[in-house]
Amino acid sequence: MKYNNGKVSEVKIAYIGGGSRGWAWTFMTDLAMELSMSGTISLYDIDQEAAKNNEIIGNMITKREETVGKWNYETANTIDVALRGADFVVISILPGTFDEMETDVHMPERLGIYQSVGDTAGPGGMMRALRTIPMFVTIANAIKEYSPKAWVINYTNPMSLCVKTLYHVFPEIKAFGCCHEVFGTQKVLKGIAEKELNIDDIDRSDIHVNVLGINHFTWFDYASYKGVDLFPIYRKYIEEHFEEGFEEKDENWANASFACKHRVKFDLFHEFGLIAAAGDRHLAEFMPSKRYLKDKETVADWKFGLTTVDWRKKDLEDRLNKSHRLVSGEEEIKLKPSGEEGILLIKALCGLTRVISNVNIPNRNQQIENLPSNAIVETNAVFERDSIRPIMAGEMPENIVKLTMPHILNHEYIMEAALTFDKSLVIKAFEQDPLVKGMATKEEVEKLVDDMLDATKAYLPKEWNL
């Protein structure tokens, strides 16, 4: 990298999963709108044609007159070529296909186990992890060999286990996980504050929060807007609107695959007194099955939706078609801010600014005092030149710790299972997961594990002997 007049040039970013038809385009757009950075994006993907298409799309964006962030996109045929000389590494991959995800989500339904996402917790999240961890072992070893000083930004789920694997393989790695769920809850607080305080167009970044938890089961114990404590305002709004929930502008929960009315958040606030800081679909999977995911009718009552894998398949088909239109020049990507902070964090790590944002990293500094030091936790941190300094978030309430610890323990079981090919650890993790616990006999759980492993074996190491 080279610095000159408040700008940095010749930055190299290795993008693992560079054939992405979602995150990659968001990333390109945000880079194109950032005047103070430029360099090379090296796209690596096992689907080289997809990476090549993104190379074309990215360079077409760079050539546009309104593009202020000038980047050269190139396809790397091997991961070592992508990583050599990289200042930053971005990881955004899909472990397996949506066919595997369909099994992850729907096979447990035979035992009455429903999942609203299936990529983080529950049976689906654990099976996805078993596919993902071996890939992250390979990636971590490659980073250790070819770009050990690079900052590594992970967007892949299950977030906690992906980051945990990177540090397990390469303890000195400079890796962190980015997730936008906290931003979504800040937007909810912004919307409620605008209504209750009669203020127009509050900036989300002015909603200051203390973040503590694990990814997708994250909480605020502090929320403020310019000197106003938002907790009493949030409490009042819930008391008056609990049944109908909160609907965000231009987003009808019943017609959008990933929207909700935030009634799960409201219910959790009633019980625990903290603001749950993830989408309802994620939060529901960390709680006992019968609370929010008992059946489809219960889900509908809480006004959120189950994972729609069919929708994801159709969306992928639409994105493939869009990719062809973008490559041919029939369509252009609109240059507008994504609302993500990945580029801002890279800018801060380059030393061009200083940012406080939420991040998933090991709890080595006991930033959450009463969670294990080897857990991957989500808290705020200060991002500045070549440094991430976690902010001390304090203690989590013990009743929330009790809900969180089974998932932290399962991270240990599933990572060890993935590294040692030990099916008994998978069964153990299933048995203590709150979506499975109390829903099936030991024999039924063992059969479910066997069948789900068999269904995903194409993406598991041969050492599993399935």
Side-chain angles (χ1 to χ4, degrees):
M1 294 189 292
K2 291 186 177 179
Y3 294 84
N4 187 34
N5 292 328
K7 296 182 180 180
V8 60
S9 61
E10 297 184 30
V11 179
K12 180 176 179 181
I13 302 175
Y15 195 132
I16 311 301
S20 158
R21 288 100 181 178
W23 277 112
W25 299 343
T26 298
F27 194 69
M28 291 173 180
T29 301
D30 286 344
L31 282 172
M33 299 176 69
E34 178 51 62
L35 178 63
S36 64
M37 296 189 296
S38 61
T40 299
I41 312 292
S42 187
L43 304 165
Y44 172 73
D45 202 296
I46 57 174
D47 183 345
Q48 289 196 6
E49 182 182 354
K52 190 67 180 177
N53 284 342
N54 277 348
E55 175 189 325
I56 295 167
I57 293 165
N59 286 327
M60 289 173 73
I61 291 173
T62 292
K63 290 175 183 176
R64 285 162 60 173
E65 192 173 325
E66 68 270 35
T67 296
V68 296
K70 299 297 185 180
W71 294 82
N72 175 53
Y73 290 83
E74 58 185 27
T75 302
N77 293 330
T78 58
I79 193 169
D80 61 303
V81 171
L83 291 173
R84 289 181 194 277
D87 301 294
F88 297 92
V89 180
V90 172
I91 310 174
S92 173
I93 65 173
L94 175 65
T97 72
F98 287 135
D99 288 335
E100 281 72 33
M101 188 173 187
E102 196 161 29
T103 298
D104 293 346
V105 171
H106 294 302
M107 190 176 283
E109 290 175 2
R110 73 190 192 194
L111 298 178
I113 299 166
Y114 292 92
Q115 296 171 96
S116 38
V117 185
D119 70 0
T120 298
M126 289 186 276
M127 282 295 152
R128 184 185 179 101
L130 292 175
R131 295 193 297 272
T132 311
I133 289 168
M135 300 177 187
F136 269 68
V137 169
T138 299
I139 293 168
N141 279 318
I143 291 169
K144 182 178 182 179
E145 183 171 357
Y146 300 112
S147 52
K149 295 183 179 180
W151 282 100
V152 181
I153 310 169
N154 177 59
Y155 286 103
T156 306
N157 285 325
M159 174 67 71
S160 297
L161 269 164
C162 290
V163 176
K164 190 175 185 67
T165 303
L166 293 173
Y167 278 93
H168 176 80
V169 174
F170 180 19
E172 293 78 27
I173 199 169
K174 298 191 297 186
F176 60 97
C178 276
C179 180
H180 59 209
E181 293 290 315
V182 163
F183 307 158
T185 304
Q186 284 176 301
K187 283 179 63 181
V188 172
L189 290 175
K190 156 187 155 69
I192 290 174
E194 286 171 348
K195 288 175 186 269
E196 297 298 302
L197 300 175
N198 197 26
I199 299 174
D200 292 330
D201 203 21
I202 290 173
D203 189 326
R204 175 187 68 79
S205 64
D206 287 331
I207 304 291
H208 295 169
V209 295
N210 186 50
V211 180
L212 67 172
I214 60 174
N215 185 241
H216 293 154
F217 200 51
T218 317
W219 306 78
F220 300 158
D221 64 359
Y222 170 95
S224 178
Y225 171 68
K226 294 190 174 180
V228 178
D229 181 358
L230 294 179
F231 267 67
I233 291 167
Y234 190 71
R235 182 179 294 108
K236 178 177 179 290
Y237 188 89
I238 291 173
E239 289 171 354
E240 296 173 355
H241 302 279
F242 181 74
E243 290 303 323
E244 69 263 35
F246 175 81
E247 189 149 50
E248 296 175 58
K249 294 176 183 177
D250 306 320
E251 194 170 74
N252 186 315
W253 78 272
N255 298 325
S257 290
F258 304 111
C260 67
K261 291 288 290 265
H262 305 286
R263 293 190 69 237
V264 171
K265 279 188 192 62
F266 290 0
D267 190 53
L268 292 172
F269 185 81
H270 270 156
E271 180 168 351
F272 300 106
L274 299 192
I275 299 171
D280 282 9
R281 295 167 62 254
H282 280 300
L283 294 168
E285 290 189 332
F286 285 82
M287 300 297 292
S289 184
K290 293 181 180 179
R291 181 149 177 173
Y292 303 115
L293 290 165
K294 179 180 178 182
D295 49 39
K296 293 179 180 179
E297 292 73 28
T298 301
V299 171
D301 285 345
W302 285 103
K303 295 182 170 60
F304 66 97
L306 298 173
T307 283
T308 48
V309 181
D310 286 343
W311 181 90
R312 291 175 188 262
K313 289 183 175 182
K314 177 63 169 61
D315 182 60
L316 177 59
E317 184 181 328
D318 292 343
R319 288 178 182 274
L320 286 169
N321 292 332
K322 182 176 181 177
S323 177
H324 294 313
R325 295 195 303 273
L326 291 171
V327 168
S328 68
E330 297 173 55
E331 185 177 339
E332 272 190 343
I333 290 178
K334 294 178 181 177
L335 297 186
K336 60 180 183 179
S338 71
E340 301 291 340
E341 291 192 351
I343 305 307
L344 183 60
L345 301 183
I346 289 174
K347 184 178 175 181
L349 291 168
C350 287
L352 302 180
T353 187
R354 188 172 186 265
V355 176
I356 295 176
S357 188
N358 58 300
V359 64
N360 291 270
I361 55 176
N363 196 33
R364 290 174 174 173
N365 294 294
Q366 292 298 142
Q367 51 266 41
I368 301 180
E369 295 172 16
N370 52 344
L371 290 185
S373 60
N374 62 347
I376 302 299
V377 297
E378 187 162 356
T379 67
N380 284 331
V382 178
F383 290 74
E384 51 194 352
R385 184 190 58 81
D386 201 28
S387 174
I388 297 177
R389 305 183 197 281
I391 292 173
M392 298 294 100
E395 290 190 355
M396 289 175 63
E398 282 304 318
N399 50 5
I400 296 179
V401 171
K402 288 178 181 177
L403 293 173
T404 306
M405 281 306 302
H407 299 285
I408 289 176
L409 290 173
N410 274 356
H411 294 162
E412 298 292 330
Y413 293 144
I414 291 298
M415 189 172 76
E416 188 177 348
L419 298 175
T420 63
F421 322 109
D422 186 343
K423 186 174 69 174
S424 71
L425 292 172
V426 182
I427 294 169
K428 192 172 183 178
F430 267 52
E431 287 177 329
Q432 77 165 14
D433 185 272
L435 292 186
V436 180
K437 197 170 185 177
M439 298 295 291
T441 65
K442 182 175 180 61
E443 291 73 22
E444 288 173 327
V445 172
E446 290 175 353
K447 180 70 165 62
L448 179 62
V449 169
D450 282 338
D451 291 348
M452 293 186 78
L453 285 171
D454 186 64
T456 201
K457 64 183 179 183
Y459 288 89
L460 295 176
K462 62 182 185 302
E463 287 86 350
W464 279 95
N465 294 318
L466 299 170

